[in-house]
Amino acid sequence: MDGGTERISIAEAEALIVEALLSCGVPSVAARSVARALVAAEAEGQSGHGFSRLADYAAQVRSGKINPHAEVNLSAPKPAALMIDADHGFAYPALDQAIDALAPLAASHGVATAGISRSHHCGALSVQVARLAEKGVVGMMFANAPAAVAPWGAREPLYGTNPIAFAVPRSHGPPLVIDLSLSKVARGKVMHARKTSQAIPEGWALDSEGQPTTDPEAALAGTMVPIGEAKGTALALMVEVFAAAMTGANFSTDAGSFFTATGDKPGTGQFLIAFYPPEGVGFVERAEALLRAVEQLEGARLPGSRRAQSIERARREGLVVPVLYLDAARKMTAACA
């Protein structure tokens, strides 16, 4: 124990989440898929997509907002274009199917896509695109979320925080991974601040009157500040096209909350693209030379380097998780019974 936190190994963390979800009636395959994703996010240092989500997931399973017995349906309307219906279940089992199918399709066709509809919160996109890169393909992913960002110049939220992620295999070591929320920070960080009774930095969010706030409760009732001002909201619109218009999923304005057990199902979407590096151009060597050039510049930091360091540290030393989340997970069996 240290200042309200507890150290726990990755294996213990996954087992704890699996046990909690099983007790809520989530089948083993889905429970293990969710546990792997939450713990992987926690290992990256993305606590807003880790243990902090478990109680909300469990409450939504109990209310029926998440379908624990969802039957993921994968179809291929075009040879290298997959469509996946997540059946209002957890996003992670649908993502597992997409990633397993995309790499061999990309190897055969050069590029392959997968659109996921009737989905839910998909956590840290970095976790998913890294898995594609580990299979030898360049991966991109787009995901929409419940409305929380206003178009630039407006006050009414229309877009979600709508993250974009990208991963490239490297000749040695972990892949290059870039994961960007199109708000200044992921909304999950604001939710985490609310649950742990912390203020948020000014500049993250606006209240319902459009004024800057450090109160996470007011921030969740207001809007998130986009990255890059108008450029950020233009990218958020692009994500809506990929993740919702291309998949048949709900647009952000129609998506129910990821946080509450009441209300409409989110029905959000994800869109993944896998590119097989072309032969004969020396892709791996050229990409590696570019990344090394970044690393060698004084003062520069390769995107994703802190993520890789955090994962390595977590593997060696375990995760440091707030006790309140671990206690909630340990009590969940009785609560869900």
Side-chain angles (χ1 to χ4, degrees):
M1 292 278 192
D2 179 25
T5 63
E6 182 177 331
R7 193 173 296 276
I8 183 172
S9 74
I10 286 175
E12 290 170 331
E14 287 188 5
L16 178 58
I17 292 174
V18 168
E19 183 178 356
L21 291 171
L22 290 174
S23 72
C24 295
V26 177
S28 177
V29 171
R32 294 182 189 284
S33 178
V34 173
R36 285 192 298 269
L38 296 190
V39 172
E42 200 77 54
E44 291 187 358
Q46 296 206 52
S47 55
H49 294 308
F51 266 93
S52 64
R53 295 282 177 166
L54 181 59
D56 293 332
Y57 284 178
Q60 291 178 59
V61 167
R62 291 196 298 271
S63 73
K65 195 171 183 178
I66 293 175
N67 176 9
H69 301 287
E71 295 185 7
V72 177
N73 181 39
L74 184 151
S75 62
K78 298 289 183 182
L82 307 177
M83 295 295 288
I84 301 173
D85 180 356
D87 194 22
H88 292 300
F90 290 104
Y92 308 111
L95 285 164
D96 290 344
Q97 289 202 26
I99 289 166
D100 286 345
L102 278 176
L105 277 179
S108 296
H109 297 277
V111 62
T113 65
I116 302 174
S117 64
R118 297 207 301 168
S119 194
H120 199 275
H121 172 253
C122 63
L125 274 63
S126 50
V127 171
Q128 308 302 333
V129 293
R131 292 168 63 197
L132 285 171
E134 287 161 2
K135 293 177 181 289
V137 297
V138 175
M140 292 192 72
M141 181 174 172
F142 310 86
N144 75 335
V149 175
W152 190 248
R155 187 177 295 181
E156 187 76 17
L158 184 66
Y159 311 127
T161 54
N162 289 13
I164 299 172
F166 171 75
V168 178
R170 299 191 66 175
S171 58
H172 65 279
L176 167 75
V177 178
I178 299 172
D179 183 355
L180 301 174
S181 168
L182 297 182
S183 53
K184 282 195 174 179
V185 298
R187 203 163 184 234
K189 290 188 176 181
V190 179
M191 183 265 287
H192 173 67
R194 182 186 69 180
K195 289 185 175 182
T196 53
S197 302
Q198 300 177 57
I200 61 172
E202 188 167 318
W204 279 15
L206 307 175
D207 64 19
S208 59
E209 300 300 316
Q211 298 301 310
T213 183
T214 60
D215 179 357
E217 198 73 46
L220 290 171
T223 60
M224 301 295 293
V225 174
I227 63 169
E229 301 181 341
K231 294 178 181 179
T233 56
L235 287 171
L237 173 58
M238 181 187 78
V239 173
E240 286 290 330
V241 172
F242 274 112
M246 288 277 283
T247 67
N250 281 342
F251 288 111
S252 292
T253 48
D254 300 320
S257 172
F258 287 155
F259 299 147
T260 64
T262 57
D264 294 336
K265 295 179 173 67
T268 48
Q270 293 92 39
F271 192 82
L272 297 93
I273 310 174
F275 303 90
Y276 191 77
E279 296 177 1
V281 299
F283 171 80
V284 173
E285 295 79 10
R286 288 169 58 80
E288 193 62 38
L290 174 62
L291 301 185
R292 282 200 304 269
V294 175
E295 292 173 322
Q296 290 167 4
L297 285 175
E298 184 177 353
R301 178 175 62 85
L302 196 64
S305 57
R306 290 178 184 170
R307 169 188 177 272
Q309 292 166 5
S310 180
I311 292 170
E312 183 57 35
R313 184 166 55 252
R315 288 171 177 165
R316 278 196 326 267
E317 303 172 8
L319 306 169
V320 178
V321 182
V323 171
L324 71 94
Y325 293 147
L326 296 177
D327 284 349
R330 288 165 180 149
K331 293 173 182 176
M332 203 171 288
T333 300
C336 290

